[in-house]
């Protein structure tokens, strides 16, 4: 099968427009944004102790989408050299030359400005500032400093992905409190198991471009052991929301069931990694897919708890 990319200049007008739009949307990494919004909106429900105003939800979602899209687009600009060499990323817009680096940079900056104004004027300036801080941290700290220098890159770089929990709360209350901080820490502790499982699947890609992800520098067994440690800490932190926020019974029951299932999966992966370092035996993508399901369902429980226990 040919892997030659199609030049949009040789396509018809509507096809060209469709490809260009798709390329710019791709720069925003919409699948990543979906997960971020899934941690924003449920927290808004919890902060409201019910259903928040539709206009506020829409403004927060639009502003948050544009903010995360800005950070992702600028990340694509900076990382375009390694994206061209990695199987997982070589089909992105910049490696395929569907968008020029300059155009992508302008696009990312424009999204940052628009998102800051949307959140500032239609939500509040605290939420706007938090979103801008998250984007700046992702670009300047994770992308430019940590990613190519340390095996702990996603541990600390993952902080940027934790901000939506804070933004969802501040969008409703215009203030910070302990409950969103606990959820912030849940996402912080969830990020290493989630990302290391994916990085283990693509460790040869990362090794080829000299990005020191932990699975590149350590054995599968060592990575799996770290995943188990973070998983226990994550589950413990998720349970802390119960006493801190005085939740109803829905959330703690969900946290125990989901956390227990996550720990079983993490320990099973560790057991497989102790027996073999072959990816076909370790099956890291099982944990990766379950991690997405875990976070999604946990935050759905966050949203449902006040609705079902009022």
């Amino acid at each position: 099968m040919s892997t030659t990319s199609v030049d949009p200049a040789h396509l018809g007008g509507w096809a060209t427009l469709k490809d260009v739009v798709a390329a710019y949307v791709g720069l925003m990494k919409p699948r990543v944004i979906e997960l971020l919004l899934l941690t924003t909106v449920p927290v808004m429900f919890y902060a409201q102790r019910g259903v928040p105003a539709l206009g506020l939800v829409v403004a927060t979602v639009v502003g948050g989408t544009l903010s995360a899209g800005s950070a992702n687009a600028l990340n694509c600009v900076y990382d375009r050299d390694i994206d061209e060499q990695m199987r997982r990323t070589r089909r992105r817009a910049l490696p395929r030359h569907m968008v020029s680096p300059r155009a992508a940079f302008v696009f990312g900056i424009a999204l940052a400005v628009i998102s800051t104004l949307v959140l500032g004027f239609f939500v509040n300036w605290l939420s706007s500032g938090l979103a801008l801080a998250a984007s700046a941290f992702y670009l300047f700290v994770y992308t430019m400093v940590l990613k190519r220098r340390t095996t702990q890159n996603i541990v600390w770089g993952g902080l940027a992905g934790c901000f939506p929990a804070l933004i969802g709360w501040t969008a409703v209350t215009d203030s910070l409190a302990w409950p969103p901080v606990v959820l912030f820490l849940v996402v912080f502790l969830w990020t290493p198991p989630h990302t290391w499982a994916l990085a283990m699947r693509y460790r040869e890609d990362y090794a080829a471009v000299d990005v020191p992800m932990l699975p590149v520098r350590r054995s599968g067994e060592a990575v799996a052991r770290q995943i188990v440690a973070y998983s226990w800490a994550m589950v413990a932190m998720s349970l802390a929301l119960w006493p801190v926020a005085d939740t109803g019974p829905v959330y703690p029951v969900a946290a125990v069931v989901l956390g227990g299932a996550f720990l079983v999966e993490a320990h099973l992966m560790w057991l497989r990694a102790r027996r073999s370092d072959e990816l076909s035996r370790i099956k890291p993508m099982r944990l990766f897919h379950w991690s997405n399901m875990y976070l999604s369902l946990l935050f759905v429980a966050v949203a449902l708890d006040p609705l079902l226990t009022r």
Side-chain angles (χ1 to χ4, degrees):
M1 181 181 294
S2 173
T3 58
T4 303
S5 61
V6 178
D7 184 351
H10 295 113
L11 301 175
W14 285 109
T16 300
L17 177 61
K18 178 181 178 181
D19 285 349
V20 170
V21 170
Y24 278 98
V25 171
L27 286 173
M28 298 172 66
K29 303 182 184 178
R31 295 191 67 180
V32 175
I33 293 175
E34 288 176 8
L35 199 59
L36 295 178
L37 294 179
L38 192 60
T39 61
T40 304
V41 176
V43 177
M44 296 182 71
F45 276 72
Y46 193 79
Q48 186 69 48
R49 305 301 295 179
V51 180
L54 178 60
L56 180 63
V57 174
V58 170
T60 305
V61 167
V62 170
T65 297
L66 297 179
S67 179
S70 165
N72 290 333
L74 295 173
N75 168 267
C76 285
V77 173
Y78 189 85
D79 278 348
R80 65 188 184 278
D81 58 330
I82 61 176
D83 282 351
E84 287 186 354
Q85 304 175 56
M86 296 178 64
R87 288 175 300 164
R88 188 173 66 88
T89 57
R90 64 176 54 154
R91 300 298 296 171
R92 289 176 178 172
L94 285 169
R96 294 177 62 202
H97 307 290
M98 297 289 291
V99 179
S100 70
R102 179 178 180 181
F105 177 79
V106 172
F107 178 65
I109 295 297
L111 290 181
V113 173
I114 296 171
S115 66
T116 300
L117 296 177
V118 167
L119 288 171
F121 284 112
F122 296 101
V123 182
N124 56 61
W125 289 104
L126 176 57
S127 298
S128 178
L130 288 171
L132 187 61
S135 296
F137 188 91
Y138 181 70
L139 179 63
F140 294 113
V141 178
Y142 170 67
T143 302
M144 294 185 176
V145 177
L146 297 175
K147 183 174 181 178
R148 306 191 193 200
R149 289 179 172 84
T150 172
T151 58
Q152 297 299 299
N153 45 22
I154 58 93
V155 174
W156 301 109
L159 281 168
C162 307
F163 275 76
L166 301 181
I167 294 168
W169 183 275
T170 60
V172 173
T173 66
D174 199 11
S175 63
L176 285 170
W178 283 113
V181 172
V182 171
L183 293 171
F184 175 100
L185 292 173
V186 170
V187 180
F188 173 73
L189 295 167
W190 167 89
T191 301
H194 170 78
T195 309
W196 283 336
L198 182 65
M200 190 180 293
R201 167 66 178 81
Y202 292 100
R203 62 187 179 187
E204 292 181 1
D205 264 8
Y206 286 110
V209 295
D210 199 29
V211 173
M213 298 296 287
L214 187 66
V216 173
R217 300 295 176 84
R218 304 289 297 276
S219 68
E221 190 276 333
V223 175
R225 185 170 64 248
Q226 287 288 309
I227 285 175
V228 167
Y230 273 95
S231 298
W232 275 100
M234 175 194 71
V235 173
M237 184 57 64
S238 73
L239 294 174
L241 184 66
W242 185 18
V244 167
D246 190 25
T247 71
V250 174
Y251 174 80
V253 169
V256 167
V257 173
L258 293 171
F262 195 105
L263 289 173
V264 168
E265 191 60 49
H267 277 275
L268 286 174
M269 190 179 108
W270 185 23
L271 180 62
R272 295 192 297 269
R274 292 170 66 181
R275 294 173 176 171
S276 173
D277 201 49
E278 294 181 15
L279 292 180
S280 60
R281 299 288 186 88
I282 298 175
K283 301 178 182 178
M285 294 304 288
R286 281 183 51 174
L287 183 69
F288 173 78
H289 292 307
W290 173 246
S291 69
N292 286 329
M293 182 69 70
Y294 167 83
L295 197 69
S296 301
L297 294 178
L298 185 74
F299 274 80
V300 167
V302 169
L304 290 179
D305 188 88
L307 296 178
L308 298 177
T309 57
R310 283 190 297 178

